[in-house]
Amino acid sequence: DAEGNETKRGQGKAKGGEVLTRWWRERRCRCRGIGSMSVMPSCVGLLGLCGRTVAKRTLRGLYGGRQVAFGNKVSEDGGNKTRRKWKPNVQRKKLYSQVLKETFTINVTTHVLRCMRKAGGFDEYLIKTPHHKIQSDTGSRIKNKIEEALLLEENETQANP
């Protein structure tokens, strides 16, 4: 532009000439390179881990990394392209935790249901899956409860042999 400040597509200009980045870049996570964690970090919220943006609705259920995908529908005859999106297959399920002896009603993708079946159940799935792969406030909260209950149970068995 006239002042010599270049703006890229999707960026706006603020007062004083500095360039504003897109809104989602400011929601990115600041902790990079985190491996396995025993406690959920405070930045899992909207930020996600390792710089990945997480959609708000995935925080309220177990989506297993599945998000809305975008692409084109291509017609057979002329190859005309129409923009479209593919939403994850989300089901509202009641899942029972054997450790907590409690039922949770959660939005779950069919991908996560298959992962649960493979892991051996709801509790086993949450225990085996690291916090940075759950990417959910609800899932991380339940995982923490299960881990605490298992630690208490383990301490009780060690104290009373």
Side-chain angles (χ1 to χ4, degrees), residues 39-51:
V39 180
M40 183 185 90
S42 61
C43 64
V44 165
L46 282 174
L47 303 172
L49 286 175
C50 301

Side-chain angles (χ1 to χ4, degrees), residues 11-30:
Q11 295 179 338
K13 214 170 190 199
K15 292 178 184 174
E18 72 249 17
V19 177
L20 295 177
T21 58
R22 286 178 176 250
W23 63 271
W24 53 265
R25 290 189 187 170
E26 293 159 7
R27 292 187 353 179
R28 286 185 155 181
C29 178
R30 302 292 185 263

Side-chain angles (χ1 to χ4, degrees), residues 98-116:
Q98 294 176 340
V99 174
L100 300 174
K101 299 189 181 0
E102 193 176 339
T103 303
F104 298 94
T105 304
I106 304 174
N107 290 334
V108 184
T109 60
T110 52
H111 169 72
V112 171
L113 289 174
R114 285 192 305 272
C115 292
M116 283 183 197

Side-chain angles (χ1 to χ4, degrees), residues 66-129:
R66 299 296 192 252
Q67 293 186 2
V68 178
F70 298 92
N72 292 321
K73 179 179 83 172
V74 182
S75 66
E76 291 183 21
D77 298 336
N80 301 329
K81 294 177 183 174
T82 307
R83 294 296 289 171
R84 64 156 293 182
K85 59 184 173 182
W86 288 268
K87 293 181 182 177
N89 188 0
V90 180
Q91 308 294 321
R92 190 150 184 85
K93 294 285 184 184
K94 289 184 179 180
L95 301 170
Y96 181 74
S97 171
Q98 294 176 340
V99 174
L100 300 174
K101 299 189 181 0
E102 193 176 339
T103 303
F104 298 94
T105 304
I106 304 174
N107 290 334
V108 184
T109 60
T110 52
H111 169 72
V112 171
L113 289 174
R114 285 192 305 272
C115 292
M116 283 183 197
R117 192 176 309 124
K118 185 176 179 181
F122 179 52
D123 296 333
E124 288 76 14
Y125 169 75
L126 288 175
I127 291 167
K128 291 177 184 178
T129 308

